[in-house]
Amino acid sequence: MRATDVIATKRDGGELSTEEIRWIVDGFTRGDIPDYQMAAWLMAVYLRGMSHRETVDLTQTMARSGEQLDLSPIIPYAVDKHSTGGVGDKVSLVVLPLVAAAGIPVAKMSGRGLGFSGGTLDKLESIPGYRVTLTDDEFMQQVREHGIVLAGQTKSLAPADGAIYALRDVTATVSSLPLIASSIMSKKLAAGANAIVLDVKVGIGAFMHDLDEARALAQIMVDIGTTAGRKMVALLSDMNQPLGATVGNAIEVREAIETLRGGGPTDLREHCLVVAGHMVRLGRQDISPNALPDAMAELTELLDSGRGFDKFRELVAAQGGDVRVVDDPARLPQAPITVSIPATQAGTIAQVNALLVAQAALELGAGRARKGDAVDPAVGVEVHIKVGDQVAADSTIFTVHAANDDTLARARALLDQALSISPQPQEALPMFYDTIYGE
Ligand code: URA
């Protein structure tokens, strides 16, 4: 086979065979196909798209390019979740212990944040001692003993995706639906789940700004998973305003703990119950019509009785974290400066721009602009309002947790732009726009 022929077929709108896709992806991953030919191929895919069969072939090839996690000796039917990345998205911190408390074991490999979206590992590391790096044996042992593990990647999962993503990033070929869908799903398939709940964020603070595009992405991912024999659910959820009431690291852990104790912001609690409800129903392979409401009722009880919280505490202890911090979140890292930002007028909240709030958190040091940057666990933004809320002049809108006056000033400027207050009544934003099933 010749790379120029494979590139030309796609450039001219043709459909590639399974062998051609495997040949170019495996060749590139081995280093036999140079960057310039892979870049040309990616641009051809970007411009011409891929059929369902081609997208599945690309996903499977990337999923099989490295090690694959086999959870079957410990979890006969494994359920995973994946969020496409949002602002204030601490859902995994609440959902995984809750699902484990319902008796469904969870073994999750999470990532670090990059750009405006935060990562679960960074949040967990604000708990002193919490080890995100486990050996394969420790990872497996912990699921066996505790029914829950939440750590960084222990294996080299889908290395072809890592190599291809690095090239997409510098060749303006990231925002292609088949390339995004295959990238996400290759890692999910390699991580060994039998069923996957996808939380596809849509809005200003998400990768996908447009609902139709997000729906198309979700459908492609559901179809890939279904063809690969997985049970799939994709939720399309709002990311125009931050999720919950905090954006940062330690402050998000504190909010997750409050939620696991039966409190927390209403939107976060509801969001977590829906995601966890789908995971439990899939984990039990329950296809009855009431499976979701029944699972959500059971999970509500686990939240309110503190059993979800107990599981989180068990997780933190098992991974070496200081449980005194879980019992008393005031022990989490605290920023030296805390400033309240009031409303400048009375009215109804018309916008809390999630992207600008995320950029404010980034200015404070809560995220990383480049891979490898350090994050400050203590800083971030509390968001006390939601779109549609009535506010009096002077009521507190944001509380900023900052390390110094410079970052505080930069964050304040962004938060001023993020907020818009209207004299007219405003509709609250929906939490979910749609659910796509692949079962
Ligand atoms: N997340 C991924 O893992 N891959 C993409 O291509 C986009 C988002």
Side-chain angles (χ1 to χ4, degrees):
M1 243 180 256
R2 292 188 329 166
T4 43
D5 294 338
V6 178
I7 297 166
T9 302
K10 191 37 70 185
R11 179 199 63 197
D12 298 339
E15 189 176 25
L16 295 170
S17 68
T18 304
E19 290 67 34
E20 285 170 317
I21 291 174
R22 283 192 195 147
W23 182 81
I24 195 158
V25 170
D26 289 339
F28 174 66
T29 313
R30 276 196 314 270
D32 296 346
I33 307 263
D35 280 6
Y36 51 83
Q37 285 185 314
M38 195 61 181
W41 185 76
L42 288 168
M43 186 55 83
V45 170
Y46 182 95
L47 295 172
R48 291 296 193 168
M50 278 189 146
S51 68
H52 170 64
R53 203 220 76 244
E54 286 177 303
T55 313
V56 171
D57 286 340
L58 175 60
T59 310
Q60 298 275 27
T61 307
M62 293 197 295
R64 291 174 189 150
S65 64
E67 294 171 272
Q68 288 173 271
L69 196 63
D70 180 12
L71 294 166
S72 62
I74 307 171
I75 310 179
Y77 195 82
V79 189
D80 200 355
K81 76 166 275 281
H82 179 80
S83 160
T84 56
V87 181
D89 185 352
K90 68 281 292 172
V91 169
S92 288
L93 298 180
V94 178
V95 159
L96 299 185
L98 201 52
V99 170
I104 308 289
V106 283
K108 180 151 171 66
M109 294 189 181
S110 274
R112 296 196 177 277
L114 185 60
F116 62 81
S117 67
T120 300
L121 295 187
D122 297 318
K123 291 169 200 179
L124 281 167
E125 276 182 339
S126 58
I127 301 173
Y130 191 97
R131 287 172 57 224
V132 298
T133 310
L134 302 181
T135 64
D136 284 3
D137 285 350
E138 285 172 329
F139 188 88
M140 292 300 198
Q141 184 64 16
Q142 195 177 306
V143 199
R144 204 173 284 121
E145 278 177 21
H146 299 282
I148 184 166
V149 60
L150 183 44
Q153 227 166 273
T154 62
K155 288 183 181 279
S156 155
L157 299 182
D161 171 60
I164 291 173
Y165 191 88
L167 202 52
R168 286 167 60 205
D169 209 18
V170 292
T171 55
T173 52
V174 168
S175 56
S176 142
L177 294 186
L179 293 180
I180 298 170
S182 56
S183 166
I184 293 174
M185 287 302 294
S186 65
K187 288 170 285 199
K188 288 286 113 187
L189 297 187
N194 302 94
I196 302 161
V197 179
L198 297 170
D199 191 357
V200 179
K201 307 285 188 198
V202 51
I204 297 167
F207 206 55
M208 295 280 132
H209 294 186
D210 175 77
L211 183 56
D212 288 340
E213 228 189 344
R215 191 180 276 117
L217 174 68
Q219 187 68 58
I220 296 172
M221 292 195 287
V222 165
D223 291 345
I224 293 172
T226 310
T227 306
R230 278 27 174 217
K231 301 278 185 228
M232 301 293 302
V233 175
L235 304 163
L236 288 160
S237 63
D238 181 74
M239 194 30 72
N240 286 299
Q241 63 185 344
L243 181 58
T246 55
V247 181
N249 294 291
I251 57 174
E252 289 200 35
V253 170
R254 192 191 71 205
E255 182 174 294
I257 292 171
E258 282 163 12
T259 307
L260 282 163
R261 285 188 150 145
T266 318
D267 67 327
L268 178 65
R269 177 180 159 100
E270 183 63 22
H271 194 108
C272 291
L273 285 169
V274 172
V275 174
H278 280 294
M279 288 180 76
V280 165
R281 147 183 107 63
L282 287 171
R284 292 190 181 140
Q285 302 180 64
D286 184 349
I287 52 161
S288 65
N290 282 332
L292 181 64
D294 287 352
M296 286 176 65
E298 178 184 337
L299 291 160
T300 302
E301 221 284 301
L302 292 171
L303 266 189
D304 293 339
S305 65
R307 292 200 6 239
F309 170 79
D310 292 344
K311 203 68 194 173
F312 181 70
R313 198 175 184 282
E314 186 181 335
L315 165 74
V316 171
Q319 282 184 231
D322 184 349
V323 284
R324 290 173 305 170
V325 164
V326 179
D327 294 334
D328 178 13
R331 288 173 176 261
L332 281 162
Q334 306 277 341
I337 302 172
T338 303
V339 173
S340 299
I341 302 185
T344 47
Q345 64 187 90
T348 311
I349 303 294
Q351 192 185 35
V352 197
N353 183 310
L355 180 59
L356 290 168
V357 174
Q359 285 169 349
L362 205 55
E363 287 292 346
L364 291 167
R368 52 173 71 78
R370 273 177 305 273
K371 216 171 165 174
D373 285 356
V375 302
D376 182 342
V379 298
V381 181
E382 284 179 74
V383 183
H384 301 284
I385 37 75
K386 290 278 160 196
V387 169
D389 287 356
Q390 302 275 349
V391 289
D394 287 349
S395 50
T396 301
I397 302 291
F398 300 113
T399 304
V400 183
H401 299 251
N404 61 59
D405 291 330
D406 277 355
T407 54
L408 172 65
R410 292 204 295 271
R412 275 193 86 136
L414 287 160
L415 293 173
D416 285 347
Q417 287 176 53
L419 185 73
S420 122
I421 300 178
S422 163
Q424 314 297 335
Q426 302 289 320
E427 295 247 337
L429 290 172
M431 287 180 47
F432 295 101
Y433 295 101
D434 208 350
T435 307
I436 297 173
Y437 292 89
E439 296 171 49

